[in-house]
């Protein structure tokens, strides 16, 4: 790896040399969550430079944690798949996430608001089962953000993919969710519910879909860990 190392034989220090460089654990979170292509990984780490992302992926490949393979039938397109050693890190990544959810103060976490990361996480954890058959389009409107970051669309196929758009996809919208980024992040992290958010979340459109929002929205995979009582 790029750092000089701890120069200790302890297995923990040796693991830290591989895993504790800047952005590495966050990148592993994305790989554990199922992202395999460079652009998808970038969407999960939007504040990480492409150059550093490439560097970290090469380091993880050298460490035997990921393997880079060309996608069959798509010349020049590669995927990064976790090896057995990489898959063995799932419990490590999850344990760190659960620890952070339990012990890091919410007000510190909520200083780091990021609409693109929030919506990307929501896309991949959304539960389509409570939604109607066919296609459902849900537009999120963050009234506190500038126009360029205010509108986001989730396009949900009941038995297919969930797509995220930051431009109008041209479909009729079934439900508009108007709120602020802080409130939506609190809901996503499991700190409050849609119901407890009350008037901070305005739902316009198909009210049957709106009433089930807490169910189809899903939550951060770390939200199951309750916060430590203050």
């Amino acid at each position: 790896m790029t750092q000089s190392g701890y120069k200790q034989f302890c297995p923990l220090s040796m693991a830290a040399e591989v895993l504790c460089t800047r952005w590495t654990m966050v990148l592993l979170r994305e790989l554990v969550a199922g992202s395999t292509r460079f652009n998808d990984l970038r969407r999960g780490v939007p504040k990480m430079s492409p150059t550093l992302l490439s560097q970290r992926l090469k380091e993880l490949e050298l460490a035997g944690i990921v393997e880079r393979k060309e996608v069959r039938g798509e010349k020049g397109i590669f995927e990064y798949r976790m090896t057995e050693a990489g898959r063995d890190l799932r419990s490590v990544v999850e344990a760190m996430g659960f620890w952070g959810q339990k012990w890091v103060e919410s007000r510190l976490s909520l200083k780091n608001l990021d609409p693109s990361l929030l919506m990307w996480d929501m896309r991949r954890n959304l539960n389509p089962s409570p939604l109607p058959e066919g296609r459902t389009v849900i537009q999120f409107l963050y009234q506190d953000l500038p126009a360029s970051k205010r509108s986001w669309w989730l396009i949900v196929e009941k038995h297919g993919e969930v797509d995220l758009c930051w431009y109008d996809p041209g479909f009729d919208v079934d439900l508009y969710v108007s709120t602020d980024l802080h409130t939506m992040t609190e809901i996503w992290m499991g700190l409050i519910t849609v119901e407890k958010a009350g008037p901070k979340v305005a739902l316009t459109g198909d009210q049957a879909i709106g009433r089930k929002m807490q169910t189809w929205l899903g939550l951060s995979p770390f939200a199951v860990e309750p916060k430590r009582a203050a």
Side-chain angles (χ1 to χ4, degrees):
M1 306 298 275
T2 55
Q3 61 186 39
S4 60
Y6 299 105
K7 296 181 173 58
Q8 291 189 341
F9 63 83
C10 168
L12 177 62
S13 66
M14 298 298 292
E17 289 185 18
V18 177
L19 303 177
C20 294
T21 51
R22 181 170 172 78
W23 286 105
T24 298
M25 287 302 298
V26 182
L27 176 55
L28 286 170
R29 178 201 68 198
E30 292 304 302
L31 289 161
V32 165
S35 295
T36 59
R37 299 195 180 192
F38 190 87
N39 285 339
D40 286 344
L41 289 166
R42 279 199 67 193
R43 295 183 79 172
V45 286
K47 295 183 179 179
M48 185 180 188
S49 73
T51 301
L52 183 56
L53 174 56
S54 294
Q55 180 182 331
R56 290 290 181 261
L57 286 169
K58 288 176 183 177
E59 291 170 352
L60 290 173
E61 190 176 1
L62 287 172
I65 292 170
V66 301
E67 53 185 356
R68 179 177 178 262
K69 290 187 174 180
E70 189 169 16
V71 178
R72 184 177 298 177
E74 298 185 51
K75 188 175 181 180
I77 303 298
F78 294 86
E79 289 186 330
Y80 296 87
R81 297 281 180 179
M82 300 192 86
T83 63
E84 182 181 0
R87 293 189 295 273
D88 224 20
L89 285 168
R90 174 179 291 272
S91 60
V92 178
V93 174
E94 290 176 345
M96 286 188 68
F98 289 136
W99 183 90
Q101 175 77 6
K102 183 176 182 179
W103 294 102
V104 176
E105 290 187 38
S106 301
R107 61 183 178 83
L108 298 178
S109 299
L110 291 169
K111 286 182 178 180
N112 301 311
L113 300 178
D114 186 332
S116 56
L117 176 57
L118 173 65
M119 295 304 301
W120 184 244
D121 272 348
M122 286 166 56
R123 179 205 66 85
R124 64 184 171 198
N125 287 280
L126 189 140
N127 172 21
S129 59
L131 296 173
E133 292 294 327
R135 182 176 60 214
T136 300
V137 180
I138 304 162
Q139 183 177 354
F140 285 78
L141 299 154
Y142 295 112
Q143 303 294 350
D144 56 321
L145 298 185
S148 61
K149 297 183 178 180
R150 185 174 301 156
S151 295
W152 303 79
W153 289 260
L154 288 174
I155 304 167
V156 187
E157 297 290 345
K158 178 68 176 268
H159 303 290
E161 297 292 324
V162 179
D163 289 328
L164 171 65
C165 294
W166 58 89
Y167 57 87
D168 189 344
F171 300 127
D172 291 337
V173 175
D174 297 288
L175 182 71
Y176 295 90
V177 181
S178 182
T179 184
D180 62 88
L181 184 58
H182 188 280
T183 297
M184 196 66 242
T185 304
E186 282 188 299
I187 293 171
W188 167 247
M189 292 177 65
L191 303 175
I192 61 172
T193 62
V194 175
E195 183 179 5
K196 287 185 177 179
K200 290 182 178 180
V201 179
L203 304 176
T204 307
D206 190 322
Q207 291 304 300
I209 298 175
R211 284 192 295 271
K212 296 177 181 178
M213 181 174 170
Q214 189 71 48
T215 305
W216 56 254
L217 180 66
L219 295 175
S220 161
F222 304 120
V224 296
E225 181 66 44
K227 279 288 184 186
R228 177 183 62 90

